[in-house]
């Protein structure tokens, strides 16, 4: 069975701010309102593709991930969340994985503490979230300048700073999607590894895959030998079409 490690937001699902047409289903509510959607085409593909083991790999925290309402229908037995720091199996935390994360990240905790304090100051005390010891984030009005200022003062050997839209993230070094993919497949039966993503935090994951689907913004940064640029207007639909074509041609 082929395995697809896929980012969630803006790869498989889309915010209510993004126009994806009328043929869509709600996959997330927040405060009683529809928050995120998936196209009907993508939903039908993943609910029917029982030959594909799809594993979401996301920066979402556990609380944020659990808002996804159709994980069971999409057959997400596994979910890698918190940028790789936590693994859920059938909705339950894999404690062994979390202990390994702590071993990987514990030398970085003091640096994360300091970087988080600086982040709070730079964001003028806007809400800074620390869902796990190895990560924190904030939604900022000026994410580019916050990112630049943070990088001036952090220990780059301990802390990794990323930004996505208005959010600025702080992670312990080693807590990446690429490292999570490696951890997951180590010791498991060899399978065709597919990865899909749309932003810089996905590149490390794409670069460890046998087949990588990327959009224009990160395609040049993707070093996977078998990388495919998705140019469809709706990224998830393009991924599904490409995977279907590859399977029909016997490449999966």
């Amino acid at each position: 069975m082929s395995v697809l490690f896929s980012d969630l937001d803006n790869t498989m699902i889309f915010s209510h701010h993004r126009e994806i047409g009328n043929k869509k289903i709600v996959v997330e509510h927040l405060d009683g309102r529809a928050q995120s959607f998936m196209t009907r085409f993508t939903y039908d593909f993943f609910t029917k593709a029982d030959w594909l083991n799809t594993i979401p790999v996301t920066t979402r925290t556990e609380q944020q991930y659990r808002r996804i309402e159709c994980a069971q229908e999409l057959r997400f037995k596994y979910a890698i969340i918190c940028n790789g720091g936590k693994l859920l199996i059938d909705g339950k935390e894999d404690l062994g994985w979390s202990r390994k994360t702590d071993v990987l990240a514990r030398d970085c905790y003091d640096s994360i503490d300091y970087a988080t304090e600086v982040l709070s100051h730079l964001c003028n005390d806007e809400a800074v979230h620390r869902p796990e010891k190895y990560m924190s984030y904030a939604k900022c009005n000026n994410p580019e300048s916050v990112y630049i200022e943070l990088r001036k003062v952090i220990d780059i050997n301990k802390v990794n700073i990323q930004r996505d839209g208005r959010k600025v993230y702080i992670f312990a070094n080693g807590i990446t999607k690429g490292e999570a993919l490696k951890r997951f497949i180590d010791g498991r039966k060899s399978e065709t590894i597919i990865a899909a993503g749309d932003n810089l935090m996905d590149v490390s994951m794409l670069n460890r895959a046998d087949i990588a689907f990327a959009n224009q913004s990160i395609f040049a940064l993707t070093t996977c030998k078998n990388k495919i640029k998705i140019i469809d207007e709706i990224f998830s639909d393009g991924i599904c079409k490409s995977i279907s074509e590859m399977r029909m041609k016997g490449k999966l």
Side-chain angles (χ1 to χ4, degrees):
M1 178 182 287
S2 298
V3 182
L4 170 64
F5 294 86
S6 179
D7 176 47
L8 273 180
D9 294 275
N10 297 312
T11 298
M12 292 182 69
I13 66 177
F14 303 90
S15 163
H16 62 97
H17 296 297
R18 168 74 186 279
E19 177 54 54
I20 60 171
N22 295 324
K23 295 181 178 180
K24 60 187 178 182
I25 63 169
V26 180
V27 297
E28 176 185 17
H29 285 85
L30 181 62
D31 298 329
R33 298 181 180 181
Q35 177 73 10
S36 298
F37 295 84
M38 177 179 281
T39 68
R40 171 59 67 176
F41 181 86
T42 296
Y43 179 84
D44 289 344
F45 173 83
F46 283 113
T47 54
K48 295 175 182 177
D50 56 3
W51 48 271
L52 182 66
N53 181 11
T54 302
I55 302 173
V57 186
T58 177
T59 57
R60 284 184 175 232
T61 65
E62 184 170 350
Q63 180 183 26
Q64 292 167 338
Y65 175 76
R66 291 192 185 282
R67 295 201 303 255
I68 304 299
E69 299 162 6
C70 56
Q72 186 171 354
E73 291 89 336
L74 295 169
R75 295 176 298 100
F76 291 166
K77 178 178 178 64
Y78 303 99
I80 298 173
I81 62 175
C82 300
N83 209 50
K86 185 178 289 190
L87 172 66
L88 303 180
I89 304 177
D90 293 324
K92 297 180 180 180
E93 180 182 359
D94 183 325
L95 297 179
W97 182 285
S98 294
R99 284 192 291 268
K100 178 63 180 295
T101 295
D102 182 63
V103 171
L104 291 171
R106 64 178 54 162
D107 289 343
C108 304
Y109 290 158
D110 288 345
S111 297
I112 296 286
D113 291 343
Y114 174 68
T116 302
E117 289 180 12
V118 175
L119 178 62
S120 179
H121 174 72
L122 292 173
C123 291
N124 297 318
D125 295 323
E126 292 179 75
V128 175
H129 305 275
R130 184 80 178 270
E132 305 289 345
K133 291 182 179 179
Y134 50 82
M135 70 175 287
S136 61
Y137 69 93
K139 185 178 287 187
C140 311
N141 291 323
N142 52 344
E144 181 66 22
S145 62
V146 169
Y147 172 82
I148 292 171
E149 291 302 315
L150 264 177
R151 286 191 59 84
K152 290 179 181 178
V153 299
I154 63 164
D155 182 350
I156 60 173
N157 295 312
K158 301 285 188 179
V159 177
N160 178 25
I161 308 296
Q162 297 287 344
R163 62 192 185 282
D164 183 18
R166 288 181 56 201
K167 289 182 179 178
V168 176
Y169 291 92
I170 297 170
F171 300 108
N173 269 359
I175 306 304
T176 68
K177 293 184 179 185
E179 182 63 26
L181 187 155
K182 180 178 181 295
R183 288 172 62 185
F184 188 91
I185 63 176
D186 277 354
R188 296 177 187 267
K189 183 180 179 181
S190 178
E191 299 167 311
T192 300
I193 304 301
I194 310 167
D198 73 296
N199 68 40
L200 288 172
M201 286 185 280
D202 300 319
V203 171
S204 63
M205 174 175 68
L206 301 182
N207 290 344
R208 288 189 179 274
D210 300 313
I211 302 168
F213 294 104
N215 63 4
Q216 176 66 40
S217 67
I218 60 171
F219 185 76
L221 300 175
T222 305
T223 59
C224 174
K225 292 182 179 179
N226 191 4
K227 62 179 181 178
I228 300 168
K229 184 191 299 182
I230 300 296
I231 59 175
D232 298 60
E233 183 177 356
I234 300 175
F235 192 38
S236 63
D237 288 358
I239 293 168
C240 295
K241 291 173 187 175
S242 295
I243 292 175
S244 295
E245 291 172 3
M246 295 180 76
R247 187 169 187 255
M248 289 178 63
K249 294 177 180 178
K251 296 182 179 180
L252 290 177

